[in-house]
Amino acid sequence: MNQSRFGHIVNGERMYTGEEIPVYNKYNGEQIASICCADEEVVKQAVDQAVKTFKKEKLTAYQRSDILVKAASLINERKDELALSIVREVGKTLKDANTEIERAVETFSISAEEAKRISGEGVPLPSKHPGENRMAFTVRVPVGVIGAITPFNMPFTLAAHKVAPAIAAGNTIVLKPAEIAPITAMKMIDILEEAGLPPGFINVINGLGQKTGQYLLEDDRVNMFTFTGSVHVGQHIKRVTGIRKVTLELGNNSPNIVHKDAVNLEQVAQLCAQRGLSTLNGQACISVQRLYVHQDIMEEFKKYLIQATEQFVVGDPENIETDIGPLISEVQAQRVEAWVNEAVKNGARVLCGGERNGAFYSPTILTDVTATMKVMCEEVFGPVINLIPYDDIDWVFNEANNSDYGLQVGLFTSNLQIAMKAAQELEFGGVIINDVSTYRSDWTPYGGVKNSGLGKEGPIYAIQEMTDEKTVVINL
Ligand code: NAD
């Protein structure tokens, strides 16, 4: 296979400097590309250009919107090529990659619409003093240069969730894609150029997080960071960036609760199996991980859950029939294996799965788990579901909340009181009733509490984060 080489993009110029990092096909181990690792000088040049472009060139809201509409259409035209690129660099299945591309088209399209709707608000000034003879309103202005740092698991759509709203809001960008899966994000830049985005509006630096990413964090001229990735790196970014703006989209160990009055248990079990074990091979921040099932329905639910799990096709992710491919690396599969083994050593039972073959980890259901096991209290980021019985709704809400994370939670019930209690008492950024924690629409506000992050994504909400609200007071 022909290998591609990716460098950096500064003011539209391709630059190839720095140590080369190989990029592999995660299924067969073949090298498919290499990227150059940007040093401090390249990062500085990328930020220089972003600053210069922001100060000198402005695109009108209509121009920004038109570029994003065109980009959405080009992504759609190239969807098969882009999906295959994701399959190869991430190892995720073609089914999941197709969904990822559809979501990116949606994200660009929503951002295009929102580019034309950015506005402040009228501010009432009712007091006699100092409000007398004055009127006030706010306007939203772009923050300036945005540093966007993205993870491997959805390399195209998560970049889209940063890049498209940043453009819509009138900012310039320096993007650092995940070094382990950078290829499809690079294709997004070609598409944006073809869609008419002038040079300098988006600049890309490739390379290792601790080098290239770190240089970007240390450049004070970057006004805001938008990051999706691990809690560990998110905490580091928060520490390093001082009083600059950040949005952090981090991990979770998502609880899902199936109450005894849930409608259509078989379908619920199938959905839980799919979203915990098959979708992105469990490498989703909102993957079903802690699955609490009411004891009255546990036996029936368990039967359906195991049946659904046994039907998954494991194999070559390029095959459209495949449900589960490899994890991102053998090292990550070994970590998942070690966590499961540790749980088993401490009393957990494997209901199915629990085996590793290279980077593949079989879809696994555990029971007899305790809250302190790593598979329960940390983010597994692999195809593992923990099945836990309960009989008391207060107890299960308390257990669901008993986590350092708070991204999304799922609850299946036909009891309105319990649903409303969940909306009020569950400490998460998103409470999903009668669907799994993994539900996400690109329109809705999305983001966690506690260690799951800070700020919201979803183009409408990301644009709020990526603009400053300026107050204007007029003395009449
Ligand atoms: P990661 O944190 O290892 O890497 C993410 C990005 O950060 C990469 O581009 C990496 O190069 C960069 N990075 C690493 N160290 C850095 C540093 N010191 N300075 C600047 N940049 C640095 O995450 P990952 O393994 O790629 O992705 C998996 C994680 O992402 C999981 O924890 C998952 O939950 C999370 N995630 C969250 C969401 C969400 O929306 N909340 C979505 C997807 C993934």
Side-chain angles (χ1 to χ4, degrees):
M1 175 184 286
N2 277 340
Q3 277 181 32
S4 323
R5 184 162 173 254
F6 297 98
H8 321 293
I9 305 176
V10 177
N11 199 29
E13 297 290 318
R14 269 60 180 168
M15 296 171 61
Y16 298 88
T17 62
E19 170 203 345
E20 297 226 349
I21 304 169
V23 181
Y24 298 103
N25 177 322
K26 304 304 183 289
Y27 173 63
N28 61 21
E30 208 176 282
Q31 184 175 343
I32 46 176
S34 65
I35 52 164
C36 305
C37 183
D39 62 16
E40 199 170 0
E41 180 51 33
V42 171
V43 175
K44 186 176 163 300
Q45 288 177 28
V47 179
D48 282 347
Q49 276 310 323
V51 172
K52 213 157 132 189
T53 307
F54 182 72
K55 287 193 174 150
K56 290 212 166 138
E57 286 179 59
K58 298 284 173 224
L59 296 170
T60 65
Y62 265 93
Q63 285 171 319
R64 302 194 305 264
S65 179
D66 286 349
I67 290 166
L68 293 166
V69 167
K70 183 86 195 298
S73 149
L74 289 169
I75 293 168
N76 200 35
E77 276 171 30
R78 290 175 60 176
K79 61 184 179 207
D80 292 340
E81 171 216 335
L82 294 168
L84 198 55
S85 169
I86 294 174
V87 170
R88 291 182 178 155
E89 65 176 340
V90 179
K92 76 164 64 166
T93 61
L94 191 53
K95 283 181 202 171
D96 284 343
N98 285 336
T99 307
E100 178 164 353
I101 297 300
E102 280 165 23
R103 285 192 49 198
V105 172
E106 180 87 336
T107 304
F108 270 88
S109 304
I110 302 167
S111 300
E113 290 184 29
E114 293 307 316
K116 294 181 287 190
R117 294 202 189 117
I118 299 169
S119 67
E121 57 184 25
V123 179
L125 266 180
S127 68
K128 275 201 158 171
H129 179 78
E132 210 169 0
N133 292 326
R134 281 169 171 74
M135 66 178 289
F137 58 92
T138 67
V139 288
R140 289 209 157 263
V141 294
V143 295
V145 176
I146 294 194
I149 304 179
T150 53
F152 76 81
N153 67 329
M154 297 194 87
F156 198 73
T157 288
L158 295 179
H161 264 285
K162 302 186 179 316
V163 166
I167 294 172
N171 296 290
T172 58
I173 305 152
V174 179
L175 171 69
K176 198 212 87 61
E179 58 271 34
I180 199 161
I183 301 172
T184 326
M186 295 303 281
K187 292 177 190 275
M188 183 185 291
I189 314 306
D190 298 340
I191 286 171
L192 281 166
E193 286 175 349
E194 197 181 329
L197 188 71
F201 279 86
I202 184 158
N203 304 277
V204 186
I205 46 168
N206 271 304
L208 300 173
Q210 287 175 354
K211 289 187 178 170
T212 307
Q214 184 65 29
Y215 296 135
L216 187 62
L217 296 181
E218 286 168 4
D219 195 319
D220 290 343
R221 296 169 302 163
V222 179
N223 302 96
M224 172 184 171
F225 284 93
T226 167
F227 171 77
T228 301
S230 60
V231 172
H232 163 73
V233 177
Q235 284 168 332
H236 173 72
I237 291 175
K238 184 84 168 42
R239 273 193 299 271
V240 173
T241 51
I243 56 172
R244 287 180 285 168
K245 269 190 160 179
V246 287
T247 57
L248 303 171
E249 302 293 340
L250 311 176
N252 201 28
N253 58 350
S254 310
N256 284 267
I257 301 166
V258 186
H259 201 51
K260 59 185 172 188
D261 54 14
V263 175
N264 201 336
L265 214 50
E266 185 170 7
Q267 259 180 26
V268 175
Q270 284 166 353
L271 188 62
C272 289
Q274 190 188 18
R275 302 292 188 217
L277 306 172
S278 159
T279 302
L280 274 61
N281 301 346
Q283 299 169 116
C285 49
I286 38 181
S287 198
V288 175
Q289 180 174 329
R290 296 181 288 149
L291 182 50
Y292 298 93
V293 178
H294 194 279
Q295 63 186 20
D296 290 1
I297 54 166
M298 180 54 113
E299 281 316 304
E300 193 185 354
F301 183 86
K302 196 197 295 178
K303 182 185 79 188
Y304 291 139
L305 188 72
I306 294 173
Q307 267 171 13
T309 304
E310 287 173 346
Q311 278 164 19
F312 288 135
V313 178
V314 180
D316 182 349
E318 280 188 37
N319 182 342
I320 194 67
E321 302 302 324
T322 301
D323 298 303
I324 299 183
L327 292 184
I328 190 69
S329 66
E330 188 163 349
V331 171
Q332 287 305 320
Q334 285 166 341
R335 177 189 55 76
V336 175
E337 179 182 41
W339 287 14
V340 170
N341 289 349
E342 187 187 273
V344 169
K345 209 172 122 208
N346 289 302
R349 263 187 317 122
V350 177
L351 292 180
C352 60
E355 282 158 19
R356 185 179 66 80
N357 177 11
F360 279 85
Y361 196 76
S362 56
T364 298
I365 303 170
L366 297 176
T367 192
D368 296 343
V369 288
T370 57
T372 54
M373 291 172 177
K374 281 203 189 86
V375 287
M376 285 285 287
C377 65
E378 296 195 23
E379 180 184 40
V380 175
F381 226 57
V384 177
I385 286 179
N386 300 290
L387 198 54
I388 308 122
Y390 74 91
D391 65 354
D392 178 66
I393 206 78
D394 288 314
W395 179 88
V396 79
F397 278 17
N398 198 40
E399 284 303 295
N401 285 339
N402 180 18
S403 169
D404 292 337
Y405 298 105
L407 189 48
Q408 294 208 141
V409 54
L411 167 67
F412 291 87
T413 182
S414 44
N415 181 320
L416 185 62
Q417 272 73 30
I418 292 178
M420 292 314 293
K421 181 179 164 74
Q424 285 174 329
E425 293 182 13
L426 291 174
E427 298 159 0
F428 293 82
V431 177
I432 314 295
I433 310 288
N434 288 330
D435 206 330
V436 276
S437 57
T438 326
Y439 174 83
R440 184 173 179 188
S441 148
D442 296 296
W443 284 91
T444 51
Y446 179 76
V449 297
K450 302 193 220 172
N451 279 355
S452 290
L454 196 63
K456 297 283 184 205
E457 283 199 341
I460 302 168
Y461 310 93
I463 288 171
Q464 300 275 313
E465 305 276 358
M466 292 173 176
T467 49
D468 286 323
E469 194 169 27
K470 191 186 279 188
T471 306
V472 181
V473 182
I474 304 177
N475 184 353
L476 301 166

